[in-house]
Amino acid sequence: MATGTLTTERILEATEEMLRRHGAAKATVVDVARALGVSHGTVYRHFRTKAELREAVTKRWLDRTSQALSGIVSGTEEPEAKLRHWLAGLFAAKQHKAGDDPELFATYTVLTGENSGVVDRHIADLTGQLTAIIQEGVTRGEFTAPDPASTSRAVFDATNRFHDPAYAGEWSKPGIEPAFTAVVDLVLRGLRR
Amino acid sequence: MATGTLTTERILEATEEMLRRHGAAKATVVDVARALGVSHGTVYRHFRTKAELREAVTKRWLDRTSQALSGIVSGTEEPEAKLRHWLAGLFAAKQHKAGDDPELFATYTVLTGENSGVVDRHIADLTGQLTAIIQEGVTRGEFTAPDPASTSRAVFDATNRFHDPAYAGEWSKPGIEPAFTAVVDLVLRGLRR
């Protein structure tokens, strides 16, 4: 990368490319600087440590999912349709991540294991989106939830077979779609006023 | 074991003791025969291969949970109390297995990974018990479930954070009991007529 400005985003793209090709072991500041054709001092101006770089690339990977879903939260559907759509969107996003590039998914599973703070904040983002949908349903008199934040965590937990990477091996198996629908139907019946 | 009859149960007890002391690697027919002070030919009359022995000891470990729960299914509680009691019983049994003897639990987690057929039959046992409770609730006009077998699998999936060994690390953390109650409340509201 002899020309252009070295942005944080460009470094993270190169890091992800590194992860895709070589797995988690090679994603260090020095490896990424070499791939970009810059000195590692240049990369260190953006990320002071290997840990910081790996945390940032993991956050970027997780944020892609929450950003895609945030459009559903702010949309105009009825709360029940919105919640169904959001849970299906989360499941589809995870299925794609796991199925389209299984090696990169496995690598990110290693990185999420190393960066539990990033994962906790990601789960807080997602359950925050769920809380907004549930709160909207309560306000409109369609859902019952004495404490929408605790209910949103219950909905998130109840659907974890369809978003927790621990279950990725099941997401392409026959029968997974009806199993997903059965859980979502049960959860929605539980929320209805 | 110079005296007494060598029963299948005695062999499985010795195998579990072997697993407890030495982990999964040492639980072979020859190791177990040595521990019992008998020839391995004697053990082979009960288990023809190491795989068969390991499958049987895994089944015995899983069956302990389903046997403990079956008394709840045949009890006289109301369906809703029965379901709540059954889910709490499953969670408590798993918490005890994981917490009381973590090494043995880890060893059995390896063995369940090797014996997916045994695990599938165990899940079928458990969801069969759930189906009986849900069917009873439907018959008594307390639950709604067009297809109790599919609903029971949905209830099992929705509560997996509280029984799947993949989550064992979370079972002793603060906040796990209210999280369990929130999911069970949501599921029960979803079942109520």
Side-chain angles (χ1 to χ4, degrees), chain A residues 72-94:
Chain A
I72 299 173
V73 180
S74 55
T76 56
E77 291 171 300
E78 299 289 302
E80 182 164 333
K82 196 179 268 193
L83 184 53
R84 205 175 268 281
H85 189 173
W86 191 92
L87 291 169
L90 176 60
F91 185 29
K94 295 290 187 127

Side-chain angles (χ1 to χ4, degrees), chain A residues 82-133:
Chain A
K82 196 179 268 193
L83 184 53
R84 205 175 268 281
H85 189 173
W86 191 92
L87 291 169
L90 176 60
F91 185 29
K94 295 290 187 127
Q95 281 176 310
H96 274 291
K97 277 186 171 176
D100 297 349
D101 198 338
E103 277 106 27
L104 186 62
F105 186 79
T107 296
Y108 271 113
T109 302
V110 172
L111 288 179
T112 52
E114 282 173 13
N115 293 282
S116 62
V118 174
V119 173
D120 289 348
R121 286 191 292 281
H122 176 59
I123 293 176
D125 270 1
L126 292 176
T127 55
Q129 293 189 10
L130 267 178
T131 303
I133 299 173

Side-chain angles (χ1 to χ4, degrees), chain B residues 8-73:
Chain B
T8 299
E9 180 58 22
R10 182 73 194 88
I11 295 170
L12 292 176
E13 267 169 29
T15 307
E16 184 161 299
E17 194 47 41
M18 214 70 200
L19 291 172
R20 181 173 282 120
R21 288 198 198 171
H22 306 290
K26 286 277 279 178
T28 69
V29 171
V30 172
D31 296 321
V32 170
R34 190 175 301 135
L36 288 165
V38 300
S39 74
H40 55 262
T42 307
V43 178
Y44 277 124
R45 280 201 286 277
H46 296 261
F47 299 101
R48 284 170 305 166
T49 62
K50 169 181 140 182
E52 224 174 72
L53 174 66
R54 290 157 79 90
E55 188 178 304
V57 76
T58 307
K59 180 176 183 306
R60 178 173 172 273
W61 159 262
L62 296 173
D63 282 352
R64 248 180 268 163
T65 301
S66 29
Q67 278 158 14
L69 294 170
S70 65
I72 299 172
V73 180

Side-chain angles (χ1 to χ4, degrees), chain A residues 144 146 150-151 153-155 157-162 164 166-167 170 179 182-183 186-187 189-191, chain B residues 144 146 150-151 153-155 157-162 164 166-167 170 179 182-183 186-187 189-191:
Chain A
T144 293
S150 133
T151 302
R153 181 65 209 219
V155 171
D157 286 348
T159 51
N160 63 5
R161 189 175 171 208
F162 312 101
D164 189 320
Y167 295 97
E170 301 186 10
V183 170
L186 180 67
V187 162
R189 281 200 305 272
L191 284 172
Chain B
T144 293
S150 130
T151 302
R153 180 66 210 217
V155 171
D157 286 348
T159 52
N160 62 6
R161 188 175 172 207
F162 312 101
D164 188 322
Y167 295 98
E170 301 186 9
V183 169
L186 180 68
V187 161
R189 281 201 304 272
L191 284 171

